[in-house]
């Protein structure tokens, strides 16, 4: 008998929860992307929210009726991010749901001055995951990026995310970085954060119209830009394309990328496609001075060759790989130079290596790192292998 | 027990008064070698051909030889040309024999009655298994005839150790119950327990083997069966060889096997007729189907009303789009569809097959396209219910399928109250429930819980060694290696 009452009790306890947190799927607005700007005049956060449109198109007339936008954007301003988000309730019939946030876009103005005040909410909020990706609107407002529709992929937030992932993996100019990784880079000792950027090609007013994406050549498109660099919570500048690739090589982020380089003196070019790359940055202290030793081993395939030479010759291959290595080495050289001389910001993480391996040295020189860092000597040891030449042996030019 | 009278008229009178002058019962008076003889039989149960050819003709032919026979009863018992003649000495046995289709011969002056087997065949012939069909393996199934069923088992196990104990249960029906087991493998304690329990049953009639098992089982409040009731003689033979006990009930197609474990409910005899590696594939699918049929609606409810974060954004958007415009809460939608399916299923079993096709047309329309287009349910819910029901139908035992229905409902309710946490709570309750079941002393989840390594070879995955050379040591009390010489029985 007792057992029966016990089961009944459990069932009753379950009922007392009163369907806590219960919400039907069509009562929530699923947010794909959020853009954060800062209104300097009124001193308010300017939040724009991209809500995925879950409305059923009337069946059978998908081509006839006017095309419906896949997303809707709401904007609101308030002193805090959460209040601004809640204000959207006034305009939207559904309650916002943050759990499937894919992209957080920082406006440039916000990233330069007010980032510090804007990171707390997303860390504290229970609903959002901390693994959404972040991106910076290069020389633009985040709200503009949020409004642009994308071709091929219906959900712009997902399209941006895919573009970043692809640009970071197959090209190397962006870095796929999530919110928690970004913050841990900012908080970490001896390294600074970088952020992928995004640019609007064309007019914003064209990009918000779903007619634009239904043409073969949309007037307005989103394009992934080169990396932006931070010092603490402040955006300090941008790397160029070569520097971004060099950065990603050093960080072991890059697996596949194409490198073009001249293969003779007559302005003819060849290209190699990288298959795998492994890099290791190690710092040693010599005479109370850190010295960086960078080892990179790359395996690549020759994918295009427009010079005239006999590729069946081992020596020629060796020469080509030397030239390719020189090209790649130049990119790495360039990014280190940029970090040491142009910005004096240690985003490559030399300081972190010292912090991890020579803590006593780091403790002693922590405060003067800004002076030590630009003068660190480094040596790049690049080992490039070209095991495959593709389906043909000689250059197509040779015939 | 009333002894049989010596006068044939007294016997006739007694039978007539006891049966309220039943017109079915035929009395035929003869005079045979100066003896008054009464031939008594029940017209509807006996085979008139046999009675005419072997009994009445015998009396007529032999009547011409005027011999002087001292003991007419013994003479007839030895000389009537049938295979089985038994003398009876009390009315209980007399009535039982009479209403089993036997022909009785009463002779004036003797306090015994001769009983001759003249049963009419009132049973359907052996046909293929209807509900537990297989592709490979034997196709024959049990019939309503007790003797045929015994024969179907005996022809598979031709050993003298296949023992049969017979009881008669049912105040009115006097149904024969056979308890079959293999001596030397089975646990004697189990046989004694089952026999004791069955003999204590005090009911009016036994219509099906389920009557017996429900009356003796300790598993009354559970939805899952702790027995298998099967129509396949090969399965019964297989289980007997593992030390189980089969309960065969007169007039039913279903033979009950006890004790069993939970995983056996999801096995088919066909599993043993194929390569183990291919069987394992099927068994894993059955296992997945079990989870699908239990959890799919609950998971769908939990995901779309509480735990949106559990699925990728793209699927969530799809779900949300599908649900756009559906007026009911997801729980109600799921219950509605489940109800519709259950009604269809029940109707389909009860409906005469001649109007079955119209039912399937209406059913497909109601469950599918029309309901979606009318905006009553979302298309995704149709898929959810379809997956649930198809997976549920994969289990061949009706008792199991019907048990799972209850648990599916419990899962759905808990999911609708607290989402995935509710499913976890219901899951724990489910586990507690099935671990606590015992099938005649055998833990339901064995050999997994309690863990028994020796017998793991035939649970989720089948191992050839367990199939061919080893008996299930949980049920086989003795002689655990297959094919080994019988050890001397104690």
């Amino acid at each position: 008998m007792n057992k029966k009452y016990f089961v009944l009790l459990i069932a009753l306890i379950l009922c007392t929860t009163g369907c806590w947190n219960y919400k039907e799927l069509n009562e929530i607005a699923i947010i794909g992307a959020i853009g954060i700007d800062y209104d300097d005049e009124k001193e308010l956060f300017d939040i724009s929210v991209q809500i995925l449109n879950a409305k059923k198109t009337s069946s059978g007339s998908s081509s006839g009726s006017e095309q419906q936008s896949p997303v809707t954007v709401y904007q609101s301003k308030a002193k805090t991010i959460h209040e601004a988000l809640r204000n959207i309730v006034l305009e939207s019939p559904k309650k916002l749901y943050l759990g499937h946030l894919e992209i957080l876009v920082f406006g440039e103005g916000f990233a330069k001055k007010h980032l510090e005040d804007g990171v707390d909410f997303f860390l504290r909020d229970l609903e959002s995951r901390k693994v959404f990706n972040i991106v910076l609107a290069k020389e633009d407002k985040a709200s503009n990026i949020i409004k642009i529709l994308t071709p091929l992929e219906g959900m712009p937030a997902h399209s941006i995310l895919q573009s970043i992932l692809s640009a970071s993996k197959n090209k190397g100019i962006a870095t796929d970085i999530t919110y928690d990784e970004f913050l841990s880079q900012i908080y970490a000792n001896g390294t600074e954060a970088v952020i992928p950027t995004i640019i609007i090609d064309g007019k914003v007013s064209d990009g918000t119209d779903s007619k634009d994406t239904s043409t073969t050549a949309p007037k307005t498109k989103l394009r992934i830009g080169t990396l932006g660099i931070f010092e603490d919570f402040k955006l300090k500048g941008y790397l160029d394309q070569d520097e971004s690739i060099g950065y990603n090589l050093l960080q072991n982020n890059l697996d596949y990328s194409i490198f073009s380089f001249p293969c003779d003196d007559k302005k003819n070019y060849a290209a190699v496609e990288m298959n795998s790359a492994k890099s290791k940055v190690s710092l040693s202290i010599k005479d109370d001075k850190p010295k960086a030793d960078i080892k990179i081993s790359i395996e690549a395939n020759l994918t295009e060759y427009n010079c005239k030479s006999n590729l069946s010759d081992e020596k020629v291959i060796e020469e080509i790989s030397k030239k390719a290595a020189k090209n790649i080495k130049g990119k790495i050289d360039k990014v280190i130079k940029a970090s040491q001389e142009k910005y004096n910001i240690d985003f490559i993480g030399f300081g972190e290596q010292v912090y991890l391996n020579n803590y006593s040295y780091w403790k002693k020189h922590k405060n003067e790192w800004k002076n030590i860092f630009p003068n660190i000597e480094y040596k790049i040891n690049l080992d490039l292998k070209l095991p495959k030449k593709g389906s043909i042996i000689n250059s197509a030019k040779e015939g | 027990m009333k002894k049989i009278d010596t006068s044939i008229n007294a016997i006739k009178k007694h039978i007539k008064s006891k049966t309220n002058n039943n017109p079915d019962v035929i009395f035929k008076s003869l005079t045979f070698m100066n003896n008054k003889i009464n031939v008594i039989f029940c017209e509807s149960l006996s085979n008139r051909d046999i009675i005419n050819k072997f009994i009445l003709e015998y009396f007529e032919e032999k009547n011409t030889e005027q011999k002087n026979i001292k003991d007419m009863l013994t003479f007839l018992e030895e000389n009537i040309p049938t295979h089985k003649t038994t003398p009876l000495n009390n009315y209980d046995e007399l009535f039982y024999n009479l209403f089993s289709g036997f022909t009785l011969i009463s002779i004036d002056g003797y306090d015994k009655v001769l009983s001759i087997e003249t049963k009419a065949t009132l049973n359907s012939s052996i046909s293929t298994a209807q509900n537990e069909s297989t592709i490979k393996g034997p196709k024959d199934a049990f019939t309503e005839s007790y003797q045929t069923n015994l024969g179907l088992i005996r022809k598979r196990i031709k050993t003298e150790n296949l023992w049969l104990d017979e009881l008669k249960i049912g105040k009115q029906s006097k149904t024969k119950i056979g308890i079959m087991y293999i001596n030397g493998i089975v646990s004697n304690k189990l046989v004694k327990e089952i026999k004791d329990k069955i003999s204590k049953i005090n009911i009016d009639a036994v219509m099906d083997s389920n009557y017996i098992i429900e009356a003796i089982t300790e598993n009354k409040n559970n939805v899952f069966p702790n027995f298998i009731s099967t129509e396949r003689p090969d399965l019964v033979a297989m289980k007997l060889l593992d030390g189980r006990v089969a309960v065969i009930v007169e007039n039913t197609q279903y033979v009950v096997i006890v004790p069993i474990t939970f995983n056996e409910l999801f096995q088919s005899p066909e599993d043993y007729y194929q390569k183990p590696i291919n069987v394992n594939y099927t068994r894993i699918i059955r296992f997945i189907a079990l989870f699908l049929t239990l959890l799919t609606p609950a998971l769908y409810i939990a995901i779309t009303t509480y735990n949106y974060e559990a699925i990728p954004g793209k699927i969530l958007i799809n779900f949300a789009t599908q649900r756009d415009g559906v007026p009911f809460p997801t729980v109600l939608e799921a219950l509605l569809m489940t109800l519709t399916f259950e009604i269809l299923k029940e109707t389909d079993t009860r409906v005469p097959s001649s109007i079955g096709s119209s039912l399937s047309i209406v059913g497909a329309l109601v469950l599918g396209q029309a309901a979606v287009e009318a905006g009553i349910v979302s298309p995704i819910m149709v898929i959810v219910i379809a997956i649930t029901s198809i997976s549920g139908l994969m289990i061949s035992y009706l008792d199991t399928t019907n048990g799972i229905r209850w648990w599916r409902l419990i899962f759905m309710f808990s999911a609708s109250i607290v989402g995935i946490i509710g499913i976890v709570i219901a899951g724990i309750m489910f586990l507690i429930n099935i671990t606590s079941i015992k099938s005649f002393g055998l833990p339901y989840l064995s050999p997994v819980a309690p863990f028994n390594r020796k017998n793991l070879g035939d649970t989720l995955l089948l191992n050839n060694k367990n199939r061919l050379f080893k008996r299930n040591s949980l049920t086989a009390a003795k002689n655990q290696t297959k094919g080994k010489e019988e050890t001397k029985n104690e």
Side-chain angles (χ1 to χ4, degrees):
Chain A
M1 265 300 134
N2 265 338
K3 213 167 82 185
K4 255 184 197 168
Y5 286 123
F6 185 67
V7 171
L8 199 71
L9 193 71
I10 288 179
L12 282 176
I13 287 172
L14 277 177
C15 291
T16 55
T17 57
C19 300
W20 143 90
N21 224 359
Y22 173 87
K23 231 166 275 138
E24 282 293 335
L25 203 48
N26 34 13
E27 291 164 10
I28 58 163
I30 303 161
I31 298 176
I34 294 180
I36 309 177
D37 291 307
Y38 197 81
D39 188 337
D40 282 314
E41 279 172 33
K42 293 182 189 158
E43 295 190 323
L44 295 171
F45 285 107
D46 181 1
I47 306 293
S48 37
V49 178
Q50 190 185 75
I51 291 168
L52 305 174
N53 207 338
K55 206 171 156 231
K56 210 188 275 177
T57 47
S58 50
S59 60
S61 58
S62 57
S63 56
S65 68
E66 60 194 88
Q67 221 178 348
Q68 176 184 305
S69 160
V71 290
T72 311
V73 174
Y74 289 104
Q75 249 176 302
S76 112
K77 289 177 186 178
K79 276 285 178 200
T80 58
I81 291 178
H82 201 186
E83 199 196 335
L85 280 174
R86 192 50 61 83
N87 284 346
I88 289 170
V89 173
L90 304 175
E91 299 170 34
S92 141
K94 297 176 176 182
K95 191 176 176 289
L96 300 188
Y97 169 66
L98 276 173
H100 277 87
L101 179 64
E102 279 189 282
I103 287 279
L104 185 63
V105 187
F106 295 148
E108 197 183 54
F110 171 74
K112 270 185 175 153
K113 288 183 217 151
H114 303 284
L115 181 62
E116 211 168 352
D117 309 317
V119 294
D120 188 79
F121 168 69
F122 290 101
L123 278 181
R124 202 175 292 282
D125 183 53
L126 291 172
E127 204 172 53
S128 64
R129 311 171 183 196
K130 275 71 200 165
V131 290
F132 50 83
N133 275 63
I134 53 161
V135 70
L136 179 79
K138 193 177 179 181
E139 290 150 16
D140 209 337
K141 283 179 78 180
S143 60
N144 291 338
I145 303 285
I146 294 290
K147 281 175 201 158
I148 306 293
L149 293 173
T150 49
L152 298 183
E153 168 62 60
M155 290 154 56
H158 196 69
S159 170
I160 295 173
L161 177 66
Q162 287 302 322
S163 299
I164 292 172
L165 293 179
S166 164
S168 114
K169 216 178 166 199
N170 300 323
K171 177 73 181 159
I173 67 161
T175 304
D176 142 44
I177 184 163
T178 59
Y179 189 67
D180 58 331
E181 285 168 355
F182 175 69
L183 286 179
S184 68
Q185 275 191 14
I186 285 181
Y187 294 132
N189 275 310
T191 188
E192 298 297 342
V194 298
I195 188 169
T197 61
I198 195 157
I199 305 160
I200 301 173
D201 267 357
K203 272 191 280 179
V204 175
S205 56
D206 286 335
T208 56
D209 192 348
S210 60
K211 272 179 203 145
D212 192 38
T213 52
S214 60
T215 59
T216 56
K219 285 177 199 147
T220 305
K221 276 176 260 173
L222 291 173
R223 184 162 52 83
I224 300 298
T226 53
L227 293 173
I229 49 172
F230 277 81
E231 186 171 29
D232 288 333
F233 281 102
K234 299 214 157 42
L235 177 71
K236 288 293 177 183
Y238 299 100
L239 298 178
D240 69 12
Q241 191 156 331
D242 284 352
E243 289 163 354
S244 298
I245 293 172
Y247 171 82
N248 277 327
L249 264 175
L250 281 177
Q251 299 296 320
N252 259 331
N253 284 339
L254 191 54
D255 277 333
Y256 311 98
S257 186
I258 311 287
F259 299 100
S260 307
F261 54 91
C263 51
D264 59 13
D265 309 329
K266 294 168 209 153
K267 287 191 177 169
N268 283 323
Y269 277 80
V272 292
E273 184 184 26
M274 198 167 84
N275 277 336
S276 72
K278 262 195 190 129
S279 71
K280 192 174 169 5
V281 179
S282 48
L283 268 97
S284 52
I285 312 290
K286 233 178 211 172
D287 308 330
D288 213 30
K289 265 185 177 172
K291 203 166 163 281
D293 190 19
I294 299 161
K295 271 189 190 141
I296 305 179
S297 57
I298 294 174
E299 203 166 280
N301 293 336
L302 189 64
T303 51
E304 196 171 336
Y305 191 70
N306 295 322
C307 301
K308 287 184 180 178
S309 45
N310 184 8
L311 283 180
S312 53
D313 191 348
E314 284 285 322
K315 274 185 192 159
V316 177
I317 294 290
E318 215 166 275
E319 213 161 283
I320 293 167
S321 68
K322 261 185 200 158
K323 278 174 186 160
K326 200 181 148 200
N327 180 282
I328 297 167
K329 216 168 168 178
K331 290 185 167 131
I332 295 164
D333 212 33
K334 209 174 158 192
V335 73
I336 299 176
K337 283 265 151 58
S339 82
Q340 286 185 326
E341 288 161 19
K342 194 172 162 194
Y343 295 110
N344 192 9
I345 298 171
D346 185 8
F347 54 84
I348 291 165
F350 283 176
E352 194 177 24
Q353 288 297 325
V354 178
Y355 171 77
L356 291 174
N357 300 319
N358 298 294
Y359 184 62
S360 55
Y361 183 87
W362 175 257
K363 222 164 109 186
K364 221 160 64 184
H365 300 280
K366 198 162 77 180
N367 296 326
E368 42 185 322
W369 187 248
K370 271 261 180 195
N371 301 326
I372 297 170
F373 173 67
N375 302 317
I376 293 174
E377 280 176 35
Y378 60 90
K379 215 176 91 192
I380 304 169
N381 214 330
L382 198 144
D383 175 30
L384 186 128
K385 281 188 189 119
L386 269 182
K388 284 177 194 159
K389 302 187 287 262
S391 324
I392 56 170
I393 296 173
N394 271 337
S395 163
K397 262 189 187 172
E398 292 243 304
Chain B
M1 271 187 282
K2 197 174 183 298
K3 289 266 179 214
I4 285 176
D5 297 285
T6 43
S7 139
I8 58 165
N9 289 325
I11 295 174
K12 187 174 175 180
K13 216 176 133 195
H14 185 80
I15 294 174
K16 282 214 171 197
S17 70
K18 276 281 176 188
T19 59
N20 192 21
N21 211 358
N22 197 331
D24 251 14
V25 181
I26 310 288
F27 297 87
K28 198 160 174 66
S29 309
L30 306 160
T31 313
F32 181 63
M33 300 183 187
N34 303 324
N35 283 293
K36 276 187 184 166
I37 284 176
N38 234 349
V39 178
I40 314 161
F41 59 91
C42 182
E43 206 183 359
S44 54
L45 291 170
S46 315
N47 189 332
R48 268 167 271 171
D49 278 357
I50 296 176
I51 296 174
N52 286 336
K53 228 180 200 158
F54 297 102
I55 299 169
L56 299 179
E57 232 169 63
Y58 171 82
F59 282 127
E60 203 182 308
E61 272 176 23
K62 291 281 174 180
N63 214 2
T64 49
E65 311 168 17
Q66 289 289 343
K67 277 187 196 164
N68 210 1
I69 288 149
K70 274 182 189 160
D71 189 352
M72 182 50 83
L73 187 89
T74 322
F75 174 81
L76 282 177
E77 194 184 337
E78 281 165 3
N79 286 294
I80 284 190
T82 79
H83 64 279
K84 198 177 167 191
T85 324
T86 339
L88 309 172
N89 59 6
N90 65 58
Y91 277 112
D92 281 358
E93 278 183 51
L94 181 143
F95 282 121
Y96 179 75
N97 276 280
L98 181 62
F99 291 114
S100 297
F102 284 70
T103 300
L104 306 170
I105 296 167
S106 60
I107 309 155
D108 206 20
Y110 292 89
D111 64 348
K112 276 180 185 163
V113 163
L114 277 182
S115 152
I116 298 159
E117 211 252 64
T118 52
K119 269 187 215 170
T121 332
L122 297 176
N123 304 296
S124 48
S125 59
I126 299 171
S127 61
T128 51
Q130 297 286 312
N131 301 322
E132 294 161 58
S133 51
T134 59
I135 298 171
K136 281 180 90 177
K139 305 265 187 223
D140 52 350
F142 288 124
T143 68
E144 285 83 2
S145 154
Y146 179 72
Q147 294 299 339
T148 313
N149 290 353
L150 290 183
L152 283 172
I153 300 172
R154 275 212 194 275
K155 83 173 186 186
R156 285 182 163 79
I157 306 172
K158 297 174 189 102
T159 165
E160 74 281 9
N161 284 319
L162 179 62
W163 285 8
L164 173 76
D165 292 331
E166 217 171 84
L167 298 164
K168 281 192 196 92
I169 303 298
K171 273 268 153 57
Q172 314 291 341
S173 70
K174 304 228 188 315
T175 313
K176 265 196 250 175
I177 314 286
I179 301 161
M180 216 177 210
Y181 52 90
I182 297 186
N183 181 41
I185 297 174
V186 79
S187 140
N188 296 340
K189 218 179 101 199
L190 177 73
V191 177
K192 197 171 170 293
E193 187 195 330
I194 292 172
K195 246 195 291 186
D196 284 353
K197 277 184 177 168
I198 292 181
S199 56
K200 274 179 201 146
I201 296 174
N202 193 4
I203 51 176
D204 242 15
V206 180
M207 293 298 155
D208 183 78
S209 44
N210 225 44
Y211 279 50
I212 297 296
I213 218 71
E214 287 299 319
I216 66 170
T217 185
E218 66 269 46
N219 181 35
K220 287 196 174 73
N221 297 322
N222 260 309
V223 291
F224 286 114
N226 62 348
F227 57 89
I228 287 179
S229 79
T230 180
E231 53 174 356
R232 297 188 61 92
D234 54 332
L235 181 68
V236 173
M238 217 181 277
K239 295 296 175 200
L240 283 175
L241 287 168
D242 254 348
R244 322 293 169 106
V245 175
V247 179
I248 303 135
V249 175
E250 201 181 356
N251 302 325
T252 174
Q253 274 194 322
Y254 286 88
V255 169
V256 164
I257 304 164
V258 282
I260 55 118
T261 58
F262 188 58
N263 70 66
E264 280 169 279
L265 295 173
F266 305 97
Q267 294 172 1
S268 149
E270 197 179 4
D271 289 5
Y272 300 90
Y273 308 147
Q274 291 180 25
K275 265 186 172 308
I277 191 159
N278 297 338
V279 170
N280 292 343
Y281 188 96
T282 323
R283 282 199 177 174
I284 288 168
I285 286 177
R286 280 196 209 123
F287 194 64
I288 293 169
L290 168 65
F291 277 90
L292 282 180
T293 190
L294 267 177
L295 295 178
T296 318
L299 273 176
Y300 178 73
I301 291 168
I303 281 168
T304 55
T305 55
Y306 293 97
N307 304 87
Y308 323 106
E309 66 279 354
I311 48 165
K314 281 212 146 181
I315 303 177
L316 191 69
I317 273 291
N318 273 346
F319 284 7
T321 315
Q322 307 257 2
R323 261 201 65 79
D324 184 46
V326 176
F328 304 116
T330 315
V331 195
L332 203 63
E333 202 188 338
L335 285 177
L336 211 72
M337 289 300 281
T338 319
L339 181 73
T340 320
F341 175 74
E342 290 297 339
I343 290 173
L344 269 177
K345 204 173 101 184
E346 187 60 19
T347 316
D348 203 25
T349 23
R350 307 289 159 234
V351 78
S353 54
S354 50
I355 50 172
S357 58
S358 57
L359 175 78
S360 62
I361 293 168
V362 172
L365 284 178
V366 170
L367 266 179
Q369 203 69 21
V372 171
E373 270 174 21
I376 296 167
V377 291
S378 55
I380 198 89
M381 185 52 81
V382 177
I383 296 173
V384 166
I385 296 301
I387 289 174
T388 312
S389 2
I390 290 174
S391 309
L393 295 175
M394 197 166 184
I395 301 151
S396 52
Y397 301 111
L398 189 70
D399 303 291
T400 324
T401 323
N402 291 350
I404 284 171
R405 286 196 304 201
W406 279 114
W407 275 105
R408 188 188 302 140
L409 263 190
I410 292 172
F411 274 110
M412 275 162 73
F413 275 119
S414 351
S416 68
I417 293 167
V418 275
I420 285 180
I421 299 168
I423 298 182
V424 172
I425 292 172
I428 292 170
M429 278 162 58
F430 175 73
L431 262 187
I432 292 174
N433 180 257
I434 55 171
T435 8
S436 65
I437 301 176
K438 273 190 175 182
S439 173
F440 294 85
L442 181 67
Y444 211 36
L445 280 190
S446 55
V448 180
F451 188 73
N452 183 314
R453 209 175 149 190
K454 258 203 243 161
N455 296 304
L456 275 184
D458 188 12
T459 43
L460 174 61
L461 301 180
L462 175 66
N463 176 334
N464 213 9
K465 209 169 127 197
N466 284 63
R467 171 170 68 156
L468 296 175
F469 306 116
K470 274 158 86 184
R471 286 188 220 289
N472 190 335
S473 67
L474 296 168
T475 47
K478 296 159 232 165
N479 188 16
Q480 290 177 354
T481 313
K482 287 181 185 169
K484 216 175 81 177
E485 275 298 306
E486 298 281 328
T487 42
K488 283 273 174 288
N489 301 323
E490 60 269 40

